[in-house]
Amino acid sequence: MMEMKVLGCALLFPLQILFCLLRAIVRFFTRQERRDLGTDVVLITGGGRGIGSHLAKEFAKQGARKVILWGRTEKCLKETCEEISMTGTECHYFVCDVGNRDEVYQQAKVLREKVGDVTILVNNAAVVHGKSLMDSDDDALLKTQHINTLGQFWTTKAFLPRMLELCNGHMVCINSILSLSSIPGAIDYCTSKASSYAFMESLTLGLLNCPGVGCTTMLPFHTDTEMFQGMRVRFPKLFPPLNPEMVAERTVEAVRTNTAFVVLPWTMHFLVILKSLLPQSALEEIHKFSGSYTCMNTFKGRT
C-alpha cells in the first residue's frame, strides 16, 4: 500500500510542476488581483532616504492607511514624514537602529501602542563600506552584518507573530542582485545580502501554510542612490543604474500581487543562469569584461 502511494506521488509530481509553470505563465500575461492597501499599516526601515523614502511615498500613493518610518537619522526621517503627511496619508517616524536588538524590541512596543499593528514590514535598512576585507575595520564589518542581516531577524521576530495571529501581513526585503553574484570591494555588503537572501528564502518557505501572510524579496541591480555613489560599471549605457522610483513602484506592485521574488532588471536572470552553467574561469572573464572587478574603486557612497 505504501509503495503504491509513493508511486502515485512520483507520477503526480511532474504534473504538479507543469501546472505551476503554466500558472506562472498565465500570471505573467494577465492582470492579477491586487491587495487593497487601504487598511494596511506599513513600516519601512531605513525609510528616511534613498529607496526607503521612495518606498514610503509609493505606499502612500497606492493608498496605505498609515506609513511608519524607522531610521538612524532623525533629520531625514522628519523631512520624509512631513512630505508624506502633506499628501494626506498619516505618517509617523521613530529613530531606531535595527542593528540594535534591544532598541528594535523597545521601539516595536512603542509603535504598537502609539500607531497600531504593523501589517506590512519592509526591511530596507542597509549599509555598505565599500572596502576589501584586508582594508576593512572590524567594527565596520560587524556593523554591516548587524544592520543588513541580523536586523531582519529582530524586526521579523518583533512583528511577524502578530501578523500570524491576525492572518494578515506581508514581509518584504529589499535585497540586491549582489546576494547572488558578488563583486570585489564590497565583501561586507555582498556577504550580508547573501545571508539576507537565505533568510528570506527560508522564511518564505516556512510561511507557505500560513494563510494571509506572504513574503516578497526584491533583488535589484545597482540603484542610483547616494548609498552607492561613485560606483562605476564599464558599460553604463548597457547596464544603467536603476531608478529608485521604479524600484519602489515594482516593490509595491510585488506586494500587492503577492510575488515572492523579483529580479530587476529581468535580464539579470541570465547572470544567475550563467553562474550555474559556466566554469569559474569563464565567469572570471565575464567579471573582467563587465568591469565588476574595478567598479568599487571609485566608490564614495555613504555608510
Side-chain angles (χ1 to χ4, degrees):
M1 187 68 179
M2 181 64 70
E3 291 180 356
M4 290 297 294
K5 186 176 181 180
V6 172
L7 179 61
C9 291
L11 292 174
L12 185 61
F13 178 71
L15 296 177
Q16 291 176 316
I17 297 300
L18 179 60
F19 173 75
C20 291
L21 288 172
L22 292 174
R23 185 173 61 179
I25 292 172
V26 171
R27 279 174 57 92
F28 182 79
F29 288 105
T30 58
R31 181 177 176 82
Q32 302 299 309
E33 182 179 350
R34 282 158 170 73
R35 179 187 182 114
D36 182 4
L37 302 177
T39 60
D40 282 309
V41 177
V42 184
L43 168 60
I44 303 167
T45 68
R49 53 188 174 185
I51 294 177
S53 175
H54 291 290
L55 282 167
K57 296 170 187 175
E58 185 62 23
F59 271 109
K61 179 182 175 181
Q62 295 301 325
R65 185 164 69 94
K66 299 178 184 179
V67 175
I68 304 148
L69 312 175
W70 272 11
R72 295 178 295 155
T73 308
E74 184 170 12
K75 180 177 180 293
C76 297
L77 292 170
K78 184 178 180 181
E79 290 175 355
T80 301
C81 184
E82 290 175 348
E83 189 174 346
I84 292 172
S85 296
M86 288 177 63
T87 67
T89 300
E90 184 178 341
C91 188
H92 305 266
Y93 74 87
F94 300 85
V95 176
C96 181
D97 178 3
V98 297
N100 186 320
R101 180 184 57 186
D102 293 336
E103 193 171 329
V104 168
Y105 292 161
Q106 179 183 357
Q107 290 291 47
K109 182 179 179 181
V110 172
L111 189 160
R112 278 190 291 267
E113 293 173 350
K114 290 187 176 182
V115 183
D117 292 317
V118 170
T119 55
I120 298 178
L121 170 62
V122 184
N123 280 309
N124 167 73
V127 295
V128 57
H129 292 280
K131 295 180 180 180
S132 68
L133 177 63
M134 294 299 103
D135 291 333
S136 297
D137 176 75
D138 288 356
D139 290 335
L141 292 173
L142 284 171
K143 177 182 176 182
T144 302
Q145 307 312 311
H146 280 299
I147 293 176
N148 297 10
T149 304
L150 290 175
Q152 281 188 260
F153 284 75
W154 315 143
T155 57
T156 301
K157 289 192 70 176
F159 296 105
L160 180 58
R162 184 57 177 161
M163 293 183 189
L164 294 173
E165 288 179 15
L166 297 172
C167 293
N168 178 31
H170 206 93
M171 308 295 299
V172 186
C173 171
I174 307 302
N175 203 289
S176 168
I177 196 65
L178 294 181
S179 66
L180 302 177
S181 182
S182 300
I183 59 173
I187 194 167
D188 62 323
Y189 184 82
C190 294
T191 302
S192 67
K193 287 301 183 180
S195 298
S196 172
Y197 178 80
F199 173 86
M200 285 302 295
E201 193 170 37
S202 179
L203 184 67
T204 301
L205 292 172
L207 293 175
L208 286 179
N209 295 320
C210 299
V213 181
C215 292
T216 292
T217 301
M218 301 299 295
L219 299 157
F221 179 61
H222 166 45
T223 305
D224 188 16
T225 65
E226 62 177 2
M227 183 174 179
F228 272 95
Q229 185 179 1
M231 179 182 175
R232 294 287 182 268
V233 295
R234 187 178 180 185
F235 304 106
K237 291 186 177 180
L238 185 61
F239 303 108
L242 299 179
N243 186 303
E245 290 92 342
M246 183 275 285
V247 174
E249 290 172 2
R250 291 293 302 275
T251 301
V252 176
E253 178 74 4
V255 171
R256 297 190 66 192
T257 56
N258 195 27
T259 303
F261 295 91
V262 179
V263 175
L264 295 175
W266 67 269
T267 51
M268 288 294 112
H269 281 290
F270 292 116
L271 177 62
V272 178
I273 294 172
L274 288 175
K275 283 198 68 175
S276 301
L277 298 176
L278 297 180
Q280 181 63 26
S281 57
L283 293 174
E284 290 171 359
E285 291 302 321
I286 291 175
H287 280 295
K288 291 177 183 177
F289 178 76
S290 64
S292 62
Y293 273 153
T294 58
C295 65
M296 292 295 287
N297 289 355
T298 53
F299 170 80
K300 52 183 177 181
R302 62 173 174 82
T303 59

